[in-house]
Amino acid sequence: MNRLVSYSIYPAQTLYIPSSSKTYTVKRGDTLYKIASASNVSLWAILQVNPQIKQINWVYPGQVLDLPAAKTSAPTTPSTPSTPNTTVGSYATQVSQIVNQERQKAGLAPLTLDAELSNVAMAKAKDMITNNYFDHNSPTYGSPFEMMRSFGINYTAAGENIAKGQTSPQAVMNDWMNSPGHRQNILSSNYDSIGVAYYQGAWVQLFKK
């Protein structure tokens, strides 16, 4: 049910057992993101108890899903989550500012830092660290385009930049700008919004229009 191997558990990890689950029948227009939000559980938790879902957007009306128990307050001190959230927010802002500086040099309009798109970027960054991979295609969420749709993000054009190991916004932007494919996304006139996230060494930029 938890789709784990012996070496992939860690202190404070949440595991789910069948007795704590209830079922939900998928309705027309549902996405896993909508179901997770309405049920107060995480997308990852739903995927853990439903191994038949191979891609995050593979749900259909009439399908019966197991839902883990709703999230409760964690027995951790309030300071535990506050520090990374502040750092991530600062890094996201700094990266988006450098992006717009580069776009201004190229005579392009600035991109708006989108909070919802940044939330999706954060989910991707955490997924890369949790599942130990570095790829545009996530074993949890599928392609960046599938992931955006599953989170309820609408777009007419979209793209993704990822990086790993850089220690500052300037460092990751230097690497992206020195890579033709990543630079193309940053300087594309096809986008008007950007989402940015940093998590434990993983960087994600999402672009959309």
Side-chain angles (χ1 to χ4, degrees), residues 188-209:
S188 174
S189 59
N190 293 330
Y191 308 131
D192 58 20
S193 301
I194 186 173
V196 184
Y198 169 80
Y199 182 76
Q200 295 184 8
W203 299 84
V204 177
Q205 286 180 327
L206 291 175
F207 304 88
K208 79 174 182 72
K209 183 174 183 180

Side-chain angles (χ1 to χ4, degrees), residues 32-44:
L32 282 185
Y33 177 72
K34 290 179 181 178
I35 295 168
S37 297
S39 305
N40 195 31
V41 297
S42 70
L43 284 167
W44 178 241

Side-chain angles (χ1 to χ4, degrees), residues 57-74:
N57 59 332
W58 287 5
V59 294
Y60 51 85
Q63 184 180 17
V64 178
L65 304 178
D66 288 322
L67 295 181
K71 294 179 287 188
T72 58
S73 299

Side-chain angles (χ1 to χ4, degrees), residues 48 64 68 95:
Q48 282 187 303
V64 178
V95 168

